[in-house]
């Protein structure tokens, strides 16, 4: 009975995640999961950590993981914040750094959790329309912003913004926090982390769910100058003192240190993505250039919702969004070569 709900709860419009169906023989290309298993070193570390020490609370500062992230990116530990998935990192960022008198700015087509966080934390926001080609135009982000956030590459389009454009945006808003959400950056984008030392208003958020195949472990992190990280730590310690468990800290630390495996699997996905793009184009699809582990495509003769349903009948699931600007498109996760081959075979029957 919702009579016990608070007014805030009644007014929320929750985020709807991609479905996780249990269907035998399913080709699952709807939630941008990595088709390859995690680093063997990560699995080994998790197994080693599953011992009697689990009766103890984990390190509240996740010191080993912060050190591993710092080693990988070449930044000091006091510039690293870690959390239980990048979604939690973003949640703390919204309440800790993005709630101001002026509205938060983000693209009109973007990660659909952003307006959910705004509703949860009472943050006024304004969406900035993408260009006709779905590009982010930094010149559209005027001085009325209280803060700015956007994914790079953007989701669900897969388009990436170059560092020169990000630098321009940061320089134009020295008094506003700019958050670059880099969930997909390892598949062809260019990270903004090198700009952190220069810009005290920059926070970069990344995740181990995509490029390190650890979506089931729920680990994310942010990198920014120490004053931004200190703000996030205040929020975290006011919400959950032990967000990352012992297994997550061990597995994530090992995954960050296994650079060779990380680079190998990322390159495999990039190679498959390029072939998938060509195969879709050969069937008449328009495919937006992607720097992510998914492609965004439409067919001029078939509605996106119809394609979604027809693929599902053939045990292939992808993602479709009902936003009026993009309802003709499908977001297709890059799977293995075999999975993408099954998708193309199904589409040949349909189109």
């Amino acid at each position: 009975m919702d009579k016990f709900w608070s007014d805030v709860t009644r007014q929320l419009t929750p985020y709807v995640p991609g479905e996780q169906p249990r269907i035998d023989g399913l080709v699952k290309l709807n939630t941008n999961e990595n088709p390859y298993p995690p680093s063997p070193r990560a699995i080994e570390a998790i197994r080693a950590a599953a011992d009697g020490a689990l009766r103890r609370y984990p390190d509240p500062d996740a010191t080993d993981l912060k050190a591993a992230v710092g080693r990988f990116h070449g930044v000091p530990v006091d510039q690293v914040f870690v959390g239980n998935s990048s979604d939690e990192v973003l949640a703390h960022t919204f309440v800790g750094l993005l709630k101001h008198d002026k509205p938060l700015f983000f693209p009109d087509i973007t990660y659909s959790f952003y307006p959910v966080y705004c509703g949860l934390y009472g943050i006024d926001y304004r969406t900035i329309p993408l260009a006709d080609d779905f590009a982010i135009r930094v010149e559209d982000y005027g001085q009325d912003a209280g803060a700015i956030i956007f994914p790079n590459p953007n989701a669900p389009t897969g388009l990436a913004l170059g560092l020169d454009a990000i630098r321009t945006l940061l320089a134009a808003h020295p008094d506003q926090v700019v958050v670059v959400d880099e969930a997909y950056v390892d598949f062809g984008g260019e990270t903004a982390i090198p700009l952190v030392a220069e810009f005290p208003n920059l926070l970069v958020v990344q995740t181990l769910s995509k490029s390190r195949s650890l979506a089931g472990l729920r680990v994310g992190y942010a990198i920014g100058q120490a004053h931004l990280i200190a703000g996030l730590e205040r929020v975290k310690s006011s919400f959950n003192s032990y967000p990352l468990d012992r297994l997550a800290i061990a597995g994530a630390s090992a995954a960050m240190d296994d650079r060779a495996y990380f680079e190998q699997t990322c390159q495999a996905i990039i190679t498959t993505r390029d072939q998938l793009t060509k195969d879709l184009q050969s069937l008449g699809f328009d495919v937006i250039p992607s720097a992510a582990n998914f492609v965004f495509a439409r067919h001029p003769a078939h509605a996106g919702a119809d394609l979604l349903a027809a693929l599902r009948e053939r045990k292939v699931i992808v993602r479709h969004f009902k936003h009026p600007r993009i309802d003709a498109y499908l977001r297709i996760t890059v799977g293995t070569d075999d999975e993408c081959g099954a998708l193309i075979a199904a589409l040949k029957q349909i189109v």
Side-chain angles (χ1 to χ4, degrees):
M1 294 185 294
D2 63 5
K3 71 176 184 179
F4 297 111
W5 292 3
S6 69
D7 289 341
V8 171
T9 303
R10 287 193 181 91
Q11 294 168 13
L12 288 176
T13 303
Y15 173 76
V16 180
E19 62 177 322
Q20 299 284 351
R22 298 182 179 182
I23 302 173
D24 291 339
L26 184 71
V27 178
K28 187 175 181 298
L29 302 175
N30 68 322
T31 50
N32 299 339
E33 294 151 323
N34 197 309
Y36 301 106
S39 159
R41 289 170 57 178
I43 299 299
E44 180 181 352
I46 292 169
R47 286 174 176 154
D51 59 15
L54 288 177
R55 75 186 191 281
R56 304 290 189 189
Y57 284 108
D59 173 9
D61 293 322
T63 306
D64 290 346
L65 177 55
K66 289 180 179 179
V69 171
R71 284 193 297 273
F72 185 88
H73 291 291
V75 299
V77 170
D78 67 354
Q79 292 188 357
V80 179
F81 177 81
V82 297
N84 182 25
S85 80
S86 63
D87 284 335
E88 183 183 75
V89 174
L90 287 169
H92 292 339
T93 300
F94 269 72
V95 71
L97 303 177
L98 302 183
K99 185 174 183 177
H100 300 284
D101 292 337
K102 292 184 177 181
L104 171 65
F105 284 11
F106 51 81
D108 65 333
I109 299 171
T110 194
Y111 186 28
S112 55
F113 225 138
Y114 295 166
V116 174
Y117 288 136
C118 289
L120 179 61
Y121 296 120
I123 299 172
D124 184 24
Y125 70 92
R126 185 183 305 170
T127 58
I128 308 301
L130 298 178
D132 289 342
D133 63 355
F134 296 137
I136 292 174
R137 296 176 297 207
V138 297
E139 60 269 22
D140 291 345
Y141 288 74
Q143 295 303 311
D144 291 334
I148 297 168
I149 185 171
F150 61 92
N152 195 44
N154 196 12
T157 66
L159 283 171
L161 199 62
L163 282 192
D164 288 344
I166 295 174
R167 180 187 293 275
T168 298
L169 184 68
L170 289 163
H173 297 84
D175 298 322
Q176 290 84 36
V177 173
V178 176
V179 178
V180 184
D181 182 357
E182 295 187 341
Y184 303 103
V185 74
D186 296 321
F187 302 106
E190 190 174 8
T191 181
I193 289 173
L195 300 180
V196 164
E198 181 180 353
F199 292 98
N201 57 328
L202 171 63
L203 186 78
V204 180
V205 178
Q206 292 198 11
T207 177
L208 278 74
S209 294
K210 313 300 183 182
S211 57
R212 289 179 175 82
S213 307
L214 289 173
L217 206 60
R218 315 310 297 132
V219 179
Y221 58 89
I223 292 178
Q225 291 191 16
H227 59 276
L228 295 182
I229 300 305
L232 294 178
E233 292 287 355
R234 285 174 67 88
V235 174
K236 185 269 288 185
S237 295
S238 301
F239 176 75
N240 183 357
S241 298
Y242 302 97
L244 288 170
D245 61 53
R246 288 177 175 270
L247 305 185
I249 292 170
S253 300
M256 293 300 303
D257 283 336
D258 196 349
R259 186 183 293 264
Y261 185 84
F262 158 78
E263 292 176 349
Q264 173 190 334
T265 52
C266 285
Q267 186 54 56
I269 290 169
I270 291 169
T271 300
T272 303
R273 181 190 69 209
D274 293 345
Q275 184 60 52
L276 174 61
T277 298
K278 293 176 183 177
D279 291 342
L280 288 168
Q281 290 171 334
S282 72
L283 293 176
F285 281 85
D286 300 320
V287 185
I288 295 177
S290 176
N293 69 333
F294 58 84
V295 296
F296 206 48
R298 68 174 180 178
H299 196 286
H302 297 270
D306 292 343
L307 288 172
L308 177 79
L311 284 170
R312 190 180 184 90
E313 290 176 357
R314 292 162 175 81
K315 290 191 174 183
V316 178
I317 59 171
V318 296
R319 195 81 189 267
H320 176 255
F321 300 90
K322 294 181 180 180
H323 190 290
R325 291 189 67 187
I326 58 173
D327 60 359
Y329 285 82
L330 297 177
R331 192 196 69 189
I332 304 168
T333 303
V334 178
T336 63
D337 289 340
D338 288 345
E339 288 171 332
C340 291
L343 166 76
I344 295 299
L347 287 172
K348 285 180 178 179
Q349 297 176 7
I350 298 166
V351 306

